[in-house]
Structure formats: structure tokens, C-alpha cells
Amino acid sequence: MPAVQETVDRVRRIDVDQYRYGFETLIESEKAPKGLSEDIVRFISEKKNEPAWMLEWRLEAYRRWLTMTEPTWARVNYPKIDYQDLYYYAAPKPKKTLSSIDEIDPEILKTYEKLGIPLREVAILEGVEPPPGGEPSEQRKIAVDAVFDSVSVATTFQKELKKAGVIFMPISEAIREHPELVRKYLGSVVPTSDNFFATLNSAVFSDGSFVYVPPGVRCPMELSTYFRINERNTGQFERTLIIADKGSYVSYLEGCTAPQRDENQLHAAVVELVALDDAEIKYSTVQNWYPGNSEGKGGIYNFVTKRGDCRGNHSKISWTQVETGSAITWKYPSCILRGDNSRGEFYSIAISNGYQQVDSGTKMLHLGKNTSSRIISKGIAAGKSQNTYRGLVTAHRKATGARNYTACDSLLIGDKCGAHTVPYVEAKNSSATFEHEATTSKISEDVLFYCTQRGLSQEEAVGLVVNGFVKDVLQQLPMEFAVEAQKLISISLEGSVG
Amino acid sequence: MALLEVKDLQVRVEDREILHGLSLTVNDGEVHAIMGPNGSGKSTLSHVIAGKPGYEVTGGQILFRGEDLLEMEPDERAAKGVFLAFQYPVEIPGVTTMNFLRTALNAQRKARGESELLVPDFLKKVRSVAAGLNIPQDMLKRGVNVGFSGGEKKRNEILQMALFEPSLCILDEMDSGLDIDALRIAADGVNALRSPERAMVVITHYQRLLNYIVPDYVHVMAKGRVVKSGGKELALQLEESGYAQFEDAA
């Protein structure tokens, strides 16, 4: 089977160094001393001008973390992390409060421009300087919160959002300006004691986004956050909290990139979503952290806790993720279906190439009556990567009429990679209907030959087959993201066939 | 210059030689039938002409309008005008037939240095070709060959043949898995595509296909060689006497 052999050889040669976002931005930054201690937690809290209650919250998490051990149940392997050998805080200098885009370090602005995130242009659209002849309102607007290392550097469209009553700001600001909301909801979905990484995050998180959509408001634009890790040896611990009050709707997008480095970097984020009665939150992620090079050197360790609470009746939370980056992914965006008739959705495309290891999936916890959930997971493994879907679906005793549909499909490219499906299903209410379907397939020689016989190159053929495979999930993404994701998928798989 | 010249072709799969010096010449517009028992190397020949990986050519050559076909990737051969209608067309879930057709056609056009076909022109073209083959519109919206019946799969092959306008069509066991009505529809589709600019190589085990697609020449293959060539009457003769005589001769 020469073509398979060729595929294997080609994959062996790939430098995942085609990673397009691997550049580093040279800016001065301010760091906390290396290592983790109560003093570091105090340092971070002080840097953020936090109130005393917040510091206490962090310290409690830190003390709890000291008693916890790192989880080992995921199908991933990595050398032991020395938590004292990391920086827990890095901020670009100068770190005075910025009142306009113009005060942002031009190097950082350039970074976001390179990443295709035009903070300045978006700011112009905000109405500060209407472009000559341009009609800003005709453009589809996306408000952006840009997080660079540990701090949020810019949030656009604040004014327009404010008019609608939507709060969208760095969480560090929200802690100062909206303490009542933050205190009420922070840690209410992912408690500080939840798991090793979430607890660590609770102690040292430095920034992230905060969103509050008031009752009955449909957020007038997509909200998005772009996370960028720049500093060396620096962990990124962002914290996102989104609250959709009764009858409101919000769509939130998240993107992530990092420079190419030989050493691994830790990213341990926590995302909490709260949907009250009749509210809906749509959360989409395109995760493209640096995956490491062809020998498996470097890359981000992505240990993330994402959870949504459908707290109100008839509420809905939908997670869509396209995972192409990271050396190791440990991530299970989940839904607690607490309200009656609430609905949770999880749509995922996880692509692994080179030496990447992915252990990702979801949890759908049915607590309320007539709750429903849907899981569509598409795993694509190439190179020497390992790709695991791990999912849990449970129905509580009182969850009468709970329904779940799960479909997990895996696609293998080459014969040195692995795909694994680990579903856990648990129904304590006899009226629950849980369906599970799983398939594993390979892009066969026959399919490739058929496509090439019709004039497609090998790469075009793989792209076509893969895009067909992930179509159901891509359709769930907002338009702009779907296009980006489609491009990203072909880049991640470039050179995966001969 | 001949359209296709296969000269003394020797082909191995792993350690076994399948073709032991096969020669065949096809000129523009001619229809050649290649008949032979199972295992005689008919499908191998079609795969090697189209460039399927997994075969090792150990001797001889294949020229297409004088160019060395064996030096080209399968997609380059397709763009040059080589089309293989598969015995077992593959399924591609999630990729609509329409999208597949457009992507493939434009890839071929691009390889030939032609401009991409605009969407309205493309749609017009596909619809008219599809109507001629009795292919309903909803079939074009479904995943490539996904859930298609045997007859639909073969009609989909002929649809592509009509759309890509190749100068050489190789039909590999087109009659396999078709009932008589489906066979007639498929054969009508093929006959409509016969033209002085398009040659065909019809590979079949049974004579019955040749009642519908009447060839100019018939070749009998046995044990990796062409053992006898003649006109269309050779097929009828075979129907009566069977392949055994040729297998013994080879």
C-alpha cells in the first residue's frame, strides 16, 4: 500500500511548524516572581486592585489547591509539571488604565493585526472616527475583548453594548465595578473546589471576560475574546463568566493563539455560563494554541474547565468547539440541565496531528424534568496523535423525560494515530431516553483514488472528505467563525497525506 | 498519433505479476471492449491506466497522445482527459454530489489553465446533463453516492463522464450489480456520449453489455495478456464457446 506509506512518511516530515501564529511580540512586561505562594496570590490580587472579599476567595482556593492532586485519568501523557517553575502573572507595560485604543502598545496592536483581529478598525466602527463614505451599521459587528498574557488590553464596542444594557468587560474590571454580580455568580457553576486545575485557576486567574445580558435583551452583536499567550514560562489562567438573565440571548466566540516555543506552556482556564429562565447562550471556540513541533517538542498544555448551568426553566446552552491546537487538550465543556425543559448542546471538531494528544468531550447532567441534550463529536486523528472522546450523560432521579442523543464519529488519517471513544451513561430515572451512536472510519485509499481520478489533488481530496465529515458541526458556528474554522482545518491537516 | 498506446505492459502487485506484457492501441472515437474471465487482469489494466496506487509497473509503457501517462499523478491524468467509471463507486458522506462535481470540474479546468466555471453556468450544465440521464435533482443534493442504489451509482458515474468531457473513458464492469432496466438506462447514457472525439474502453465479463454498447473492437484477455482481438462478432462467439479455450491457450 504505497500511498499509505507515503502518507506516513509525509506525516513524519511535517513540521507542525507551519503554525502561522508562532511569532513572538517583543514588548516589555511586568512579571510576578516565579513560583506560587500565598504572596503571589496576594500580589496578583493587589495588582488588580481587588476588594478584600476577592482576595479571600483566591486564598481559600489556593489553600484548597495545596491539598489536591493532579488528575491522571485522562488518556494523555506528559512530564510532571513543576508548578514552582512558572510565572503566574505577566502584564505588558505600561500598565496604567487605558482610556482609548491609542494608548495600547503599538506592538500589541500589531500582534492582533497579524492575527487578523483588527482592534483599531473595530474601534473606528464604534463611531469614534466614522470611515469616509463608509456606512458602519451595514457591517456585521463583533465586539472584541483582547487578552494578552495576563491582562485584557482592549474591549471594543463598549458604548454600543452599554446602550443595550449589556455588560462586556474584563473580569478584573467587573470585580471592581459590578461586585454584586460577580460575587453572586463567580464560582457558582465551577466551585473553587471543583478540580485541580479549576482550583489553581481560582487562586491565580488574572483576567478574562465578563458578560451580563439583562432580562429580555438580545445581545445586538457577537461578543468575542481573543486570548494570546506571549511571555515565556508563563501560565495563562483566564476566567470567563457569562450570565444571560431571563429571556435574553447572547452568542460568544473565543479564539486562542500562542507563539512557537520549545518548552511547554500551561493554560488552565475556567469558563462559567449561567442561563436563567428562557435564556440562551451560544458559546463557540476556535482553539488554535501552538501544538508543538514535528518531534512533539513544545506546545500548550490546555487544561480547561468549561461548564454551563441551565439554571432557569426553558433555558438553553450550546457549546461549539473547533480544537486544532495545543500539545495536550483536557477539556470537557459541560451543561448542568437544572431548569425544567432546559436544553444542552455540544458540537465538537477535534483535530490532532503530529504528537498532539486530545482528551475532550462533554458532560450532560440532566436534573430537571423534560430536559434534552445533544452531543455531536467529530474527532480527526492524523500523524502520531491520540484523540479521545470522553463523555458523561446522566439523568437524576427526578429528571423525568430526560432525552439525550449522542453521535461520536472518528476519522483516522494514516495508521500511526489513534481514536478512542469513552462514553459514560447513567440513568437513575426509568423514563430517560439516551441514544448513543459511534463510528470510526479511515480515509481509505479507495476514496482518495476516486477523488484524484476526478481531478482533485491528494490534499484537496483529504480537505473535501474532512469537510464533509465535520459539516454538521461547522454549520453550528457563526458564519465568520465557520470560514475561519474551515481554513484552520485544512492548515492543520496540511501534509497529512502524501 | 494514437490516443492510447499500451506497449508490452508488465505490472506487479506485491510479489505477483498480474499483467505479463499487454499491448493495446486505441484511436480517437473508437470503442474497444475488453473481455475475459475473472482474474485475467482486466481491472488491473483499468487501474494502472488511471494511476491507482498499489501497482508496480515493471516493464512497458502507456502513452496518451504520445505523453508518458505513467509519469503523471492520477489527477493530472484526469485533467488530460482520462476518465475511469468505477465498478464500485465510493461513498463520500457530507459532501453533496453537486459540490463534488463542481470542485472536481474546476480542479480539472484549473489544471488545464482554463477559468473556473461560474456557478450559474455550472448549474445549468449539470441540470441539463442530469435530466438527460434521468437523475433527479434531489440526488445531486445528497452526499456523493450515499444511499444510492446500484443503478444510481452507475448513472452518477456517467453523469460525471458527461460533465468532464474526457477523451478516453474506461468503463470498468459497468454492468455489475445492475438489473436489465438499470443497465439499459446506463448504456443509453454511455451511447449518447459516443463521439469522434471520445474513445471508450469497455471492460466486461459478460457479452450482454455489448448488446447495448456495441464495440468497434473486442479483445479477449486471459492470464494477463490479450490473447485474441477481433470485431464485435468475437463477443458473440465467446458467449457460445466460453473463455476456457483462451485460458488454455494462454
Side-chain angles (χ1 to χ4, degrees):
Chain A
M1 305 250 283
V4 167
Q5 192 49 48
E6 247 178 78
T7 302
V8 170
D9 292 346
R10 187 74 168 270
V11 165
R12 203 172 289 142
R13 270 180 278 129
I14 318 179
D15 245 333
V16 193
D17 317 319
Q18 302 161 24
Y19 187 70
R20 283 194 307 176
Y21 308 105
F23 57 86
E24 177 177 5
T25 309
L26 294 172
I27 45 144
E28 267 195 276
S29 78
E30 185 185 34
K31 284 187 202 166
K34 230 181 204 180
L36 186 53
S37 64
E38 281 207 16
D39 285 347
I40 292 292
V41 175
R42 286 177 202 281
F43 174 91
I44 294 169
S45 186
E46 197 176 313
K47 277 287 163 204
K48 299 280 174 192
N49 280 322
E50 285 175 356
W53 62 266
M54 194 64 234
L55 175 62
E56 269 318 304
W57 197 84
R58 287 176 180 276
L59 287 172
E60 198 192 306
Y62 174 69
R63 289 170 198 140
R64 165 78 73 151
W65 180 75
L66 290 174
T67 68
M68 297 169 91
T69 47
E70 214 169 314
T72 52
W73 43 261
R75 196 187 176 96
V76 293
N77 281 303
Y78 55 93
K80 212 171 155 42
I81 299 170
D82 180 355
Y83 290 91
Q84 294 305 334
D85 195 33
L86 289 176
Y87 291 103
Y88 287 84
Y89 181 82
K93 269 181 187 171
K95 57 163 300 311
K96 60 173 176 145
T97 320
L98 303 169
S99 56
S100 87
I101 292 277
D102 291 327
E103 288 175 38
I104 298 174
D105 189 321
E107 286 299 318
I108 294 179
L109 274 184
K110 261 191 236 160
T111 300
Y112 281 97
E113 265 160 39
K114 270 200 231 173
L115 297 173
I117 305 151
L119 296 178
R120 188 175 291 279
E121 279 83 332
V122 176
I124 288 168
L125 286 176
E126 194 175 5
V128 184
E129 297 168 64
E135 187 52 69
S137 62
E138 281 182 11
Q139 306 246 5
R140 175 106 181 259
K141 290 180 205 165
I142 302 178
V144 179
D145 183 17
V147 177
F148 201 86
D149 287 331
S150 301
V151 297
S152 171
V153 292
T155 309
T156 61
F157 282 116
Q158 292 227 32
K159 242 184 262 168
E160 194 166 334
L161 289 167
K162 215 170 187 176
K163 226 187 289 170
V166 175
I167 304 170
F168 178 39
M169 57 170 55
I171 197 158
S172 54
E173 263 175 67
I175 290 168
R176 296 190 298 265
E177 291 178 29
H178 302 282
E180 69 302 338
L181 284 172
V182 176
R183 276 189 97 157
K184 184 168 175 192
Y185 292 105
L186 188 72
S188 73
V189 187
V190 179
T192 50
S193 57
D194 193 78
N195 70 72
F196 184 82
F197 298 114
T199 304
L200 176 62
N201 173 288
S202 302
V204 301
F205 78 86
S206 37
D207 223 331
S209 298
F210 174 82
V211 177
Y212 173 78
V213 189
V217 170
R218 195 179 165 87
C219 187
M221 63 188 84
E222 310 264 357
L223 303 182
S224 91
T225 301
Y226 273 85
F227 295 103
R228 174 77 179 169
I229 298 179
N230 191 57
E231 276 301 317
R232 196 176 284 274
N233 291 333
T234 301
Q236 178 149 335
F237 306 92
E238 83 267 2
R239 185 113 194 167
T240 298
L241 175 60
I242 299 176
I243 303 135
D245 214 322
K246 290 177 184 174
S248 68
Y249 169 85
V250 62
S251 168
Y252 183 90
L253 322 172
E254 172 197 74
C256 343
T257 57
Q260 208 163 302
R261 296 194 188 284
D262 286 346
E263 64 274 4
N264 297 104
Q265 280 179 291
L266 176 63
H267 173 252
V270 172
V271 175
E272 295 179 277
L273 311 182
V274 180
L276 301 183
D277 288 349
D278 302 302
E280 179 177 348
I281 301 174
K282 190 173 161 60
Y283 193 105
S284 315
T285 305
V286 173
Q287 185 267 103
N288 188 21
W289 295 119
Y290 177 54
N293 73 1
S294 48
E295 265 92 55
K297 199 167 187 202
I300 303 287
Y301 291 164
N302 194 31
F303 301 140
V304 171
T305 306
K306 290 185 167 178
R307 197 172 302 152
D309 189 353
C310 285
R311 207 164 281 181
N313 295 336
H314 297 280
S315 58
K316 179 177 169 187
I317 288 178
S318 173
W319 297 99
T320 305
Q321 60 171 18
V322 178
E323 302 279 309
T324 62
S326 295
I328 297 178
T329 303
W330 179 99
K331 177 180 170 189
Y332 317 89
S334 305
C335 296
I336 302 168
L337 303 167
R338 199 184 302 275
D340 291 346
N341 301 298
S342 62
R343 179 168 173 84
E345 292 174 343
F346 175 74
Y347 299 98
S348 170
I349 299 170
I351 298 181
S352 54
N353 201 349
Y355 280 87
Q356 283 176 272
Q357 305 174 57
V358 178
D359 195 301
S360 184
T362 184
K363 290 188 276 187
M364 292 291 174
L365 311 176
H366 293 257
L367 307 181
K369 290 186 182 54
N370 298 317
T371 48
S372 63
S373 60
R374 182 179 169 86
I375 299 170
I376 309 285
S377 162
K378 306 275 183 180
I380 301 165
K384 294 182 177 167
S385 65
Q386 294 294 327
N387 203 322
T388 303
Y389 166 82
R390 189 183 301 277
L392 171 67
V393 178
T394 66
H396 189 262
R397 248 177 339 102
K398 291 176 183 162
T400 307
R403 291 187 312 280
N404 166 265
Y405 172 76
T406 300
C408 294
D409 299 322
S410 308
L411 187 68
L412 298 167
I413 304 176
D415 55 5
K416 293 262 190 313
C417 51
H420 317 275
T421 303
V422 191
Y424 304 84
V425 178
E426 206 180 289
K428 291 191 177 144
N429 183 304
S430 59
S431 67
T433 317
F434 290 167
E435 289 173 69
H436 180 93
E437 289 175 18
T439 66
T440 300
S441 51
K442 254 184 116 153
I443 298 191
S444 69
E445 296 285 320
D446 286 344
V447 169
L448 285 181
F449 176 54
Y450 188 81
C451 294
T452 54
Q453 208 298 307
R454 298 301 138 92
L456 299 175
S457 68
Q458 290 260 352
E459 303 232 314
E460 287 169 326
V462 170
L464 191 78
V465 173
V466 168
N467 274 307
F469 177 72
V470 301
K471 196 166 108 183
D472 311 350
V473 175
L474 277 186
Q475 282 169 344
Q476 299 296 329
L477 285 172
M479 185 64 100
E480 295 82 350
F481 253 35
V483 173
E484 191 183 331
Q486 203 160 356
K487 273 191 222 145
L488 196 56
I489 289 166
S490 28
I491 291 169
S492 324
L493 290 172
E494 233 165 60
S496 64
V497 290
Chain B
M1 187 189 293
L3 175 68
L4 176 74
E5 262 183 289
V6 181
K7 292 184 189 167
D8 194 29
L9 188 67
Q10 291 151 46
V11 174
R12 281 174 172 276
V13 174
E14 279 151 14
D15 285 331
R16 211 159 58 89
E17 191 169 272
I18 309 279
L19 299 181
H20 322 283
L22 182 142
S23 297
L24 175 72
T25 301
V26 178
N27 293 302
D28 283 312
E30 293 175 352
V31 175
H32 290 245
I34 295 184
M35 302 184 68
N38 290 330
S40 58
K42 304 186 302 282
S43 285
T44 297
L45 176 64
S46 69
H47 289 159
V48 173
I49 293 173
K52 184 173 181 173
Y55 296 92
E56 189 194 348
V57 177
T58 52
Q61 54 182 172
I62 305 178
L63 300 179
F64 189 72
R65 295 197 194 286
E67 285 185 89
D68 186 355
L69 211 52
L70 295 173
E71 285 298 305
M72 298 179 209
E73 293 294 324
D75 50 317
E76 295 173 72
R77 300 182 199 198
K80 293 271 181 195
V82 176
F83 182 91
L84 171 63
F86 283 64
Q87 182 178 4
Y88 303 111
V90 301
E91 299 185 2
I92 314 177
V95 179
T96 63
T97 303
M98 201 61 122
N99 181 22
F100 180 75
L101 296 176
R102 196 162 78 90
T103 309
L105 181 61
N106 282 333
Q108 290 193 22
R109 291 178 67 101
K110 207 173 128 199
R112 291 193 292 262
E114 299 164 12
S115 63
E116 292 196 354
L117 214 54
L118 295 174
V119 176
D121 296 338
F122 168 78
L123 289 177
K124 220 162 113 186
K125 192 166 172 170
V126 174
R127 288 198 179 119
S128 81
V129 174
L133 285 163
N134 211 358
I135 292 176
Q137 291 295 316
D138 83 287
M139 204 170 117
L140 300 175
K141 291 177 194 151
R142 276 147 61 188
V144 176
N145 292 322
V146 177
F148 285 22
S149 68
E152 285 175 328
K153 282 183 182 170
K154 295 294 161 80
R155 272 186 277 156
N156 191 18
E157 294 293 286
I158 298 162
L159 169 69
Q160 294 177 57
M161 200 161 108
L163 202 61
F164 301 153
E165 300 174 343
S167 46
L168 174 67
C169 303
I170 304 162
L171 309 174
D172 190 7
E173 307 274 3
M174 199 190 78
D175 45 341
S176 72
L178 294 193
D179 61 38
I180 203 74
D181 294 322
L183 179 61
R184 188 173 296 129
I185 295 172
D188 287 348
V190 172
N191 284 327
L193 293 173
R194 287 177 78 151
S195 92
E197 286 86 45
R198 183 165 301 126
M200 294 186 186
V201 174
V202 182
I203 292 174
T204 183
H205 187 83
Y206 300 105
Q207 194 272 335
R208 74 167 185 175
L209 175 65
L210 305 181
N211 291 335
Y212 299 97
I213 303 171
V214 181
D216 302 311
Y217 303 96
V218 174
H219 309 276
V220 182
M221 266 185 86
K223 295 186 178 166
R225 288 191 186 91
V226 172
V227 290
K228 188 168 173 104
S229 298
K232 60 187 171 200
E233 65 289 345
L234 181 56
L236 292 168
Q237 201 182 313
L238 270 174
E239 183 78 352
E240 281 175 24
S241 55
Y243 290 118
Q245 45 173 328
F246 298 108
E247 290 204 275
D248 296 342

